[in-house]
Amino acid sequence: MKQFISVFSGLLLLFTSATHVVAQENGDYSQLSEDDYTKIALPPLSTLFENAKNSPIYELADVKAAIERKLLQKEKWAFLGFFSLRGSYQYGMFGNESTYTDVAIAPYLTYSTQAQNGYTLGAGINIPLNDLFDLKGRVSRQRLTLKTAELEREVKYDEIKKNIIEMYAMATSQMQVLQTRSESLVLANVQYEISEKNFANGTIESSDLAIDKERQSQARESYEKSKFELTKSLMILEVISRTPIIRK
């Protein structure tokens, strides 16, 4: 029965609240140039942690805690269920019909009306002993239930922060690797351009040109792989922290 009341109260709270769930939109990484990747700056961890409270996982745990808090207040006032008040009120026109007669007067009928109102008040007490002696226990149990919900919320929050830290550290490392591989790619491109000119002038063989082309291809492949890994980490970080990192 208590579980049913909890679910009903939770639904009532959700329907009467003005909370709106907004879908997270990721940055458009498809429009980034190679130069844009060198300008990426991660927000402070404190900002990511605070914004992560807008994530559905944290908000769901927070709503559950709010529901249990409302139920705790209800249990504190449960003693009012032992008392009842009742009352009624009436208003209307009341009629009175009478017959009058005397030895010298023939019987005649009289009818009169009058507006009247009335009310009644009453009170009652009904105290089941099992509910009376369990009042304190019910409040204590609900306090524990609320504490459990709050701890679950903090556990979820710690998990989110842990994931943010992991993705933050990974993205920071990948940005440094991407920078190194970007420099290697620039050098490989320059070297290949020089080799192309030397081959056109006949100062090197085609095999030398092919070697430089292979180095250029490997540098490009390593760079694209690093860019892919960094993009993936940044997109995941945006989702779990509910924070836009790329604005393009």
Side-chain angles (χ1 to χ4, degrees), residues 103-157:
V103 293
I105 300 175
Y108 66 92
L109 181 67
T110 61
Y111 180 78
S112 62
T113 61
Q114 182 181 7
Q116 295 183 359
N117 58 55
Y119 59 89
T120 60
L121 293 175
I125 300 178
N126 181 24
I127 306 178
L129 294 180
N130 60 326
D131 292 339
L132 175 63
F133 292 110
D134 194 39
L135 278 177
K136 185 177 180 180
R138 288 165 59 182
V139 172
S140 298
R141 288 193 297 271
Q142 187 56 41
R143 280 201 177 99
L144 292 175
T145 303
L146 172 59
K147 183 65 174 179
T148 300
E150 291 175 341
L151 289 174
E152 289 178 351
R153 180 187 60 191
E154 294 307 312
V155 168
K156 294 292 184 182
Y157 190 37

Side-chain angles (χ1 to χ4, degrees), residues 31-86:
Q31 303 298 322
L32 292 183
S33 64
E34 294 183 358
D35 185 57
D36 291 329
Y37 275 90
T38 63
K39 301 176 182 178
I40 294 176
L42 297 178
L45 274 174
S46 58
T47 300
L48 300 180
F49 290 159
E50 186 62 28
N51 292 345
K53 292 182 179 180
N54 298 319
S55 66
I57 294 177
Y58 183 87
E59 287 190 349
L60 179 59
D62 196 40
V63 168
K64 289 182 178 179
I67 292 173
E68 299 300 336
R69 194 173 297 109
K70 294 290 185 180
L71 292 176
L72 175 59
Q73 186 62 39
K74 177 184 176 183
E75 293 294 351
K76 290 181 179 179
W77 291 95
F79 69 91
L80 294 178
F82 299 151
F83 307 95
S84 63
L85 295 175
R86 58 185 178 273

